[in-house]
Amino acid sequence: NASDLTGLILAGGQARRLAGVDKGLVPLGGRPLVEWAIRAPEPQVGALLVNANRRLDLYRGFGHPVIPDREADHAGPLAGIASALAVAPTGWVLCVPCDPPLVPGDLASRLADALLTGGADLAAAHDGTRLQPLHALIPVRLAGSLGGFLKSGGSAVRERPASYGAGWICAIKMSDSGELEALMDADAYTEFTA
């Protein structure tokens, strides 16, 4: 049920590959990437948050609450996820990064279905080659574990917090070319201009 989910757009990164340009505000097809990112999950969730760490007023202009990282040391996307888990008004967070402009319209339901059948703590997309952990459905109950992981120095998205069991994640396979394209970040698009 969409009302049970909070969407999270991750736009709080340092954009090292773009020489520090605020990736969420980079135009693609006449719109900022964050606007593309908001459109897909918006009908799939009851509330939506944007994680950003600079130019907060510009991000607020897209009509959703903006939450910066609670930790100021730029611990990567997990810091943005932890910040969202701490304030989400629902029990689940549907997380997507700001740079893939074609997020599937059924991502939330497919991740939820995977959780129901897989019995894991969270679900994430898989592109057939590797896990795409920033396209994920995460329960708010993991906020404490994730916070502890960050405080212990963990920051890599692909690392598993020690408190998570062996079956901590299940993945949905994105198999057709349109779905694989949806997981690509905008850096891969030829019309991308910084």
Side-chain angles (χ1 to χ4, degrees):
N1 188 334
S3 64
D4 297 331
L5 301 177
T6 298
L8 170 63
I9 308 301
L10 291 169
Q14 294 178 317
R16 290 185 186 114
R17 290 182 296 164
L18 294 176
V21 172
D22 198 331
K23 193 184 296 188
L25 300 175
V26 170
L28 176 69
R31 292 185 285 190
L33 284 173
V34 72
E35 188 176 324
W36 288 94
I38 287 170
R39 284 184 178 203
E42 205 167 33
Q44 300 179 59
V45 298
L48 194 118
L49 304 170
V50 176
N51 167 246
N53 290 309
R54 52 192 169 148
R55 304 179 82 180
L56 302 183
D57 288 339
L58 287 173
Y59 281 104
R60 285 185 190 105
F62 294 100
H64 297 283
V66 175
I67 55 163
D69 292 353
R70 297 174 90 189
E71 307 295 325
D73 60 357
H74 297 287
L78 287 181
I81 293 170
S83 297
L85 293 177
V87 301
T90 64
W92 292 86
V93 171
L94 175 66
C95 174
V96 295
C98 71
D99 54 352
L102 304 172
V103 173
D106 65 348
L107 182 63
S109 63
R110 290 179 64 192
L111 289 169
D113 288 346
L115 280 173
L116 288 174
T117 59
D121 289 319
L122 60 96
H126 195 285
D127 67 10
T129 302
R130 64 186 179 142
L131 190 66
Q132 298 293 328
L134 298 181
H135 293 81
L137 185 57
I138 306 166
V140 169
R141 68 178 166 76
L142 293 182
S145 296
L146 182 54
F149 177 68
L150 291 168
K151 285 186 170 116
S152 72
S155 65
V157 175
R158 285 177 169 63
E159 290 177 49
R160 173 174 57 91
S163 60
Y164 293 6
W168 71 285
I169 191 167
C170 59
I172 59 167
K173 187 170 183 185
M174 310 297 267
S175 56
D176 70 39
S177 62
E179 290 181 322
L180 294 176
E181 187 175 274
L183 298 178
M184 294 169 60
D185 63 26
D187 299 3
Y189 289 83
T190 56
E191 60 187 2
F192 178 75
T193 56

